[in-house]
Amino acid sequence: MTAPRLAIIGGTGLTRLKDLEITHRRVMHTPYGEPSGPLVFGHLNGIETVFLPRHGARHTIPPHQVNYRANIWALHNTGVEAAIAVAAVGGITECMQPGQLAIPDQIIDYTWSRANTYFEGGHLDEVTHVDMTWPYCPEVREKLLNAAGELELPVCEQGTYGATQGPRLETAAEIDRMERDGCDLVGMTGMPETALARELGLSYAACAVIANRAAGRSKGEITMDEIGRNLETGMEQVKRLLARVIASLD
């Protein structure tokens, strides 16, 4: 059996790929516990693809309880070499508007207490460090940006993703601090997922869907109705983008 060409990690608003011609599902057991759900294998535009919904098939796993180590290990263990992670985020800087897509090139980790590395325990041959200067794979990012250009999709071509603990949304003061730190986007799932992919040598990039303006960046409270409306628009663009990227792998 050949390995899938690409893994897609679905976030809020993307719990399934409707155009994926499913061939089988595989329940994975990992040294780090259970992934968010069975891996879904199939063909998208004729290309072998594996899909994993980060929050589970029914979107029941909150960001701080996702087993990121099991998810990334399971995908890597299929033999896949590249992964695109889809995530719903809040827009901090002015250019990050709801309904738009962004392909971040940097990330800052504000999470805590999450199992965030494979390099621990009593069985290491040596202390290991991985370079995270550029946390996202430039080749996968380029494919995403090229596909967005071909489809004429409005997309922010770079930005810094601030990963917060969740599941609560941030205060306006926290968002002010994050903007001072250089963050353009705020989400809850970017870390340790990005770092774990790097540790296993997975070519990983993120496609962020801006679901709302971050706290203090618009009038009134952030509502789930607003987030839902913007995600519906953004995820349709994501599906078109993924289809074009996968077609480019042929």
Side-chain angles (χ1 to χ4, degrees), residues 10-247:
T12 298
L14 190 67
T15 55
R16 65 186 183 91
L17 286 177
K18 69 177 183 178
D19 296 325
L20 182 67
E21 298 174 8
I22 298 173
T23 57
H24 65 286
R25 291 176 171 84
R26 186 186 306 171
V27 175
M28 301 288 288
H29 303 287
T30 85
Y32 307 97
E34 302 303 306
S36 296
L39 303 187
V40 182
F41 293 80
H43 296 90
L44 197 60
N45 283 0
I47 303 297
E48 291 182 78
T49 308
V50 57
F51 177 72
L52 176 64
R54 186 188 290 113
H55 299 283
R58 294 184 295 114
H59 199 264
T60 55
I61 307 172
H64 67 299
Q65 292 185 327
V66 172
N67 191 337
Y68 296 96
R69 291 197 298 183
N71 285 353
I72 296 298
W73 189 95
L75 291 173
H76 181 261
N77 200 52
T78 68
V80 73
E81 296 181 353
I84 295 173
V86 180
V89 301
I92 297 177
T93 49
E94 190 62 34
C95 62
M96 302 293 178
Q97 293 297 320
Q100 195 170 14
L101 305 185
I103 312 300
D105 62 337
Q106 281 294 333
I107 191 166
I108 299 176
D109 189 4
Y110 298 96
T111 66
W112 48 271
S113 78
R114 300 182 181 189
N116 61 6
T117 183
Y118 296 108
F119 299 135
E120 63 182 10
H123 305 288
L124 295 179
D125 295 328
E126 60 182 358
V127 176
T128 304
H129 306 283
V130 295
D131 176 61
M132 287 286 288
T133 305
W134 302 104
Y136 300 106
C137 174
E139 289 80 13
V140 180
R141 288 190 72 253
E142 184 178 9
K143 287 186 178 297
L144 286 165
L145 292 171
N146 287 343
E150 292 168 3
L151 293 170
E152 299 183 347
L153 293 177
V155 61
C156 297
E157 297 187 359
Q158 59 187 27
T160 297
Y161 178 126
T164 59
Q165 178 69 3
R168 68 168 178 84
L169 297 174
E170 301 74 30
T171 68
E174 288 170 330
I175 294 298
D176 288 342
R177 180 190 68 163
M178 293 177 71
E179 185 167 18
R180 290 193 298 270
D181 287 349
C183 295
D184 300 286
L185 304 163
V186 56
M188 301 175 188
T189 59
M191 290 293 275
E193 190 174 273
T194 305
L196 293 168
R198 176 59 57 87
E199 287 188 354
L200 292 186
L202 199 61
S203 297
Y204 172 102
C207 177
V209 181
I210 302 165
N212 57 278
R213 294 287 288 157
R217 296 301 180 271
S218 61
K219 295 180 181 179
E221 295 183 354
I222 299 169
T223 67
M224 294 310 297
D225 285 343
E226 173 196 3
I227 289 173
R229 288 193 301 271
N230 292 324
L231 282 181
E232 186 174 351
T233 300
M235 286 303 169
E236 286 304 315
Q237 296 180 36
V238 167
K239 292 170 186 176
R240 293 176 60 203
L241 183 66
L242 292 176
R244 180 58 63 97
V245 169
I246 288 173

